[in-house]
Amino acid sequence: DQQVKQNSPSLSVQEGRISILNCDYTNSMFDYFLWYKKYPAEGPTFLISISSIKDKNEDGRFTVFLNKSAKHLSLHIVPSQPGDSAVYFCAASAGLYNNNDMRFGAGTRLTVKP
Amino acid sequence: SQTIHQWPATLVQPVGSPLSLECTVEGTSNPNLYWYRQAAGRGLQLLFYSVGIGQISSEVPQNLSASRPQDRQFILSSKKLLLSDSGFYLCAWRGWTGRSSGANVLTFGAGSRLTVL
């Protein structure tokens, strides 16, 4: 079952512009959300997270927004750089300390053009 | 610092052959360990997780199995591979990043690409 959905398989933006990656979830028990970045032939690496007590978390060029009522979160990258080109996975779990049921979306391939 | 190793990186196997993928973690003790699979066009699917030696929890019924013979070693196996077992297999451990924006997260290995012909 697809409890975490990333409906856009790909996104292309110009260098310097904003990249917005979207993610929707269906399980109302999810309260901890993460974004991972994955380069080809490598494992995903953790990028940024947010718990349900917040609606925004920022780390440098990366900001994650959470809209609990809409069960939607988004990752903003400003400004986008060519090195940001990768597949981005959204993930969610029920409980900050419980990753045993972490669910991942199918991923969005971001291409940042110079 | 903690590191996670997976091997082999690439594997091509015929249908019906056995499989053994290995994962080891360094720099931590008693980690929670996980096996995920990424099939083409799909997200990461949790296959197995382990909270300690000899303790395995399975998320999906299938012809794969996992074992944890040592504290920092996690093995994914199959007696007879199916075509549908093809995919990118990822081992991960759970720990604290030490960063304010990321607390308890999964850290993944580089992955093993399995092609079943």
Side-chain angles (χ1 to χ4, degrees):
Chain A
D1 62 347
Q2 288 266 279
Q3 296 187 51
V4 179
K5 297 179 183 180
Q6 292 176 258
N7 292 319
S8 298
S10 63
L11 174 68
S12 181
V13 300
Q14 207 65 34
E15 181 179 6
R17 298 292 187 96
I18 184 172
S19 295
I20 300 177
L21 297 101
N22 294 302
C23 177
D24 298 291
Y25 61 96
T26 58
N27 189 338
S28 58
M29 297 300 291
F30 288 149
D31 58 3
Y32 184 50
F33 306 89
L34 307 91
W35 284 93
Y36 283 82
K37 176 180 179 181
K38 183 182 179 301
Y39 292 116
E42 294 183 10
T45 55
F46 167 73
L47 193 56
I48 193 170
S49 66
I50 188 168
S51 71
S52 59
I53 62 172
K54 293 185 173 183
D55 54 18
K56 176 182 174 182
N57 191 22
E58 196 171 351
D59 187 355
R61 296 186 296 113
F62 303 91
T63 302
V64 56
F65 294 92
L66 176 63
N67 183 333
K68 290 185 287 294
S69 61
K71 295 190 177 67
H72 176 84
L73 64 156
S74 61
L75 174 69
H76 292 211
I77 306 173
V78 183
S80 302
Q81 300 173 353
D84 296 329
S85 297
V87 176
Y88 289 78
F89 289 100
C90 170
S93 68
L96 175 64
Y97 301 99
N98 177 18
N99 294 126
N100 295 340
D101 64 347
M102 182 168 287
R103 305 296 174 182
F104 286 80
T108 296
R109 181 177 302 279
L110 172 67
T111 303
V112 180
K113 298 179 179 179
Chain B
S1 62
Q2 302 89 357
T3 55
I4 182 167
H5 303 281
Q6 269 188 257
W7 69 94
T10 306
L11 198 59
V12 180
Q13 292 285 99
V15 169
S17 64
L19 171 73
S20 180
L21 300 179
E22 296 199 32
C23 171
T24 58
V25 181
E26 296 177 358
T28 185
S29 59
N30 196 29
N32 281 16
L33 296 174
Y34 305 80
W35 278 111
Y36 280 83
R37 175 172 62 196
Q38 182 188 9
R42 303 186 66 180
L44 302 177
Q45 179 187 31
L46 178 62
L47 302 175
F48 302 94
Y49 68 91
S50 171
V51 299
I53 295 174
Q55 300 180 62
I56 307 294
S57 296
S58 174
E59 286 292 304
V60 291
Q62 56 203 330
N63 69 320
L64 298 172
S65 63
S67 62
R68 187 166 176 178
Q70 300 181 42
D71 181 45
R72 288 168 287 179
Q73 183 184 25
F74 205 21
I75 298 172
L76 183 69
S77 304
S78 174
K79 292 182 179 178
K80 288 185 178 181
L81 284 169
L82 305 173
L83 286 174
S84 58
D85 291 324
S86 293
F88 192 53
Y89 289 82
L90 292 155
C91 180
W93 71 279
R94 187 181 78 185
W96 293 87
T97 66
R99 290 164 52 187
S100 60
S101 64
N104 193 17
V105 301
L106 293 176
T107 299
F108 288 88
S112 299
R113 169 76 58 193
L114 171 65
T115 302
V116 182
L117 301 175

